[in-house]
Amino acid sequence: AQSVTQLGSHVSVSEGALVLLRCNYSSSVPPYLFWYVQYPNQGLQLLLKYTSAATLVKGINGFEAEFKKSETSFHLTKPSAHMSDAAEYFCAVRYDAGGTSYGKLTFGQGTILTVHP
Amino acid sequence: EAQVTQNPRYLITVTGKKLTVTCSQNMNHEYMSWYRQDPGLGLRQIYYSMNVEVTDKGDVPEGYKVSRKEKRNFPLILESPSPNQTSLYFCASKGPLGNYGYTFGSGTRLTVV
């Protein structure tokens, strides 16, 4: 079964500092990987996705993530945090192995990012 | 505008009173799914549907029902809600195989007292 682990339920950074949110997945087949952001009292917004093309994926709002197969990781980074980045971030994985797994997104537990002035 | 529309956005109800949360998409997507979001647990799939009249259980289906009579609509039904179903619910739809994009609704915050 597919699974996703986000290390750290809460991450706190200062404005201007590096943001690093960690995500590891379990997989027996090549996965598709996603990062979503949820601002307070809002729905889910796609930040970026990995679909087996370039291993370094650039997303919106200056975020990027690198797919590392050897480490089964897909960590999210941003060089310089902004106050508006404060939100909850979810890593998700999907496999197109067919059958009942088709289309299913499996989410990590979420990481709440706090940005201090 | 391509979107998934859920209603209501907020709902407070009492234990045992049947309720339905509606979900509608205007993208002609075949795949639709319901998730619930709980603190520290992320989003977990309740039910999904790969096409009209084809539905199946996700990871946490107990206490829920769904139906898919038309492609655009995928309502979530709680026949006898209980307090442990207090949660934030999201409906999502996805395009055909090879299309990686999911579209999520704005969410329904349900409180069962």
Side-chain angles (χ1 to χ4, degrees), chain B residues 19 33 84 94 104:
Chain B
L19 67 90
S33 182
N84 65 12
K94 193 189 82 65
F104 284 85

Side-chain angles (χ1 to χ4, degrees), chain B residues 5-53:
Chain B
T5 303
Q6 291 179 232
N7 281 297
R9 288 293 309 276
Y10 300 92
L11 179 59
I12 301 174
T13 190
V14 296
T15 299
K17 185 177 181 181
K18 181 179 178 180
L19 67 90
T20 299
V21 183
T22 63
C23 174
S24 180
Q25 51 95 1
N26 62 0
M27 296 162 283
N28 203 36
H29 286 168
E30 292 185 344
Y31 183 93
M32 298 185 73
S33 182
W34 276 102
Y35 288 85
R36 61 176 288 174
Q37 181 184 353
D38 301 289
L41 297 177
L43 284 81
R44 294 175 293 168
Q45 190 182 56
I46 303 171
Y47 268 94
Y48 67 95
S49 169
M50 296 182 71
N51 211 330
V52 175
E53 301 293 0

